[in-house]
Amino acid sequence: MMYEGIVQDLIDELGRLPGVGPKSAQRIAFHILAADPADVRRLSDTLREIKEKVRFCAICGNVAEEEQCRICRDPRRDLSSLCVVEEPKDVVAIEKTREFRGRYHVLGGAISPIDGIGPDDLRIRELFIRLSDGGITEVILATDPNLEGEATATYLARMIAPLGVAVSRLASGR
């Protein structure tokens, strides 16, 4: 069923979000319609603000509100150890373990020929620029334990090997 004008526009826009199907989009739209105007205004302001204030860290590619993210600004981090992840959400997951004290490099995805994503579409060139100064002695590949993540890790391991940097793969619990 199609709704009138702006209601259908909202459902369509919400349905474009990842993981939000048509029924969820409709449920969210009607929740917003029934919500307190102050709550909706807060959501609207936050959406606007995130686009104005949040960027990607100039060093690692993580989300940041400044030129560099808080991890890259932290002088206590181990500069010799680098953990390579696909997305900013992966940084959060690893940070929650409180085990890793180095820095990160966010690729912005994984190699996926089916989706038309090759090495040039990711932040791989930036990774090798970081590795070229010789300060990094260990790289931990923490890409997802799926086909694309494994392909990306294998590709990176092959490319990094000639640099003489220790490379390991984060255990995926399988």
Side-chain angles (χ1 to χ4, degrees):
M1 178 179 163
M2 295 286 283
Y3 292 92
E4 281 189 41
I6 192 121
V7 173
Q8 187 62 47
D9 292 346
L10 177 60
I11 293 168
D12 293 345
E13 287 305 314
L14 291 168
R16 291 176 52 199
L17 296 171
V20 179
K23 285 184 178 169
S24 292
Q26 184 177 326
R27 222 177 1 265
I28 296 166
F30 280 96
H31 172 81
I32 290 170
L33 272 173
D36 185 276
D39 293 341
V40 177
R41 200 169 9 267
R42 211 169 31 256
L43 173 63
S44 170
D45 291 346
T46 303
L47 287 170
R48 196 174 308 106
E49 209 173 331
I50 198 167
K51 289 309 291 178
E52 291 169 2
K53 291 185 177 177
V54 177
R55 60 186 75 139
F56 294 98
C57 176
I59 295 173
C60 73
N62 193 11
V63 290
E65 288 190 32
E66 297 177 32
E67 184 73 13
Q68 294 178 10
C69 72
R70 66 175 173 77
I71 295 169
C72 286
R73 289 192 318 263
D74 186 346
R76 297 166 302 184
R77 300 305 286 224
D78 177 2
L79 300 180
S80 69
S81 185
L82 193 66
C83 183
V84 178
V85 298
E86 291 179 25
E87 303 289 348
K89 67 177 172 55
D90 303 319
V91 172
V92 172
I94 293 170
E95 282 296 288
K96 279 183 182 171
T97 69
R98 298 188 177 278
E99 296 290 320
F100 181 69
R101 297 303 307 151
R103 284 193 173 170
Y104 295 90
H105 186 83
V106 180
L107 294 171
I111 295 170
S112 177
I114 291 168
D115 298 316
I117 300 168
D120 294 342
D121 300 308
L122 305 174
R123 298 185 66 254
I124 292 175
R125 187 170 48 261
E126 292 85 344
L127 172 62
F128 283 91
I129 290 168
R130 291 180 75 183
L131 294 174
S132 68
D133 72 6
I136 295 167
T137 57
E138 175 192 34
V139 172
I140 300 162
L141 300 174
T143 52
D144 292 351
N146 56 25
L147 195 64
E148 295 80 8
E150 295 294 342
T152 304
T154 301
Y155 174 83
L156 291 175
R158 281 196 197 125
M159 297 292 287
I160 295 169
L163 303 177
V165 174
V167 178
S168 58
R169 181 86 169 101
L170 192 67
S172 58
R174 283 187 279 162

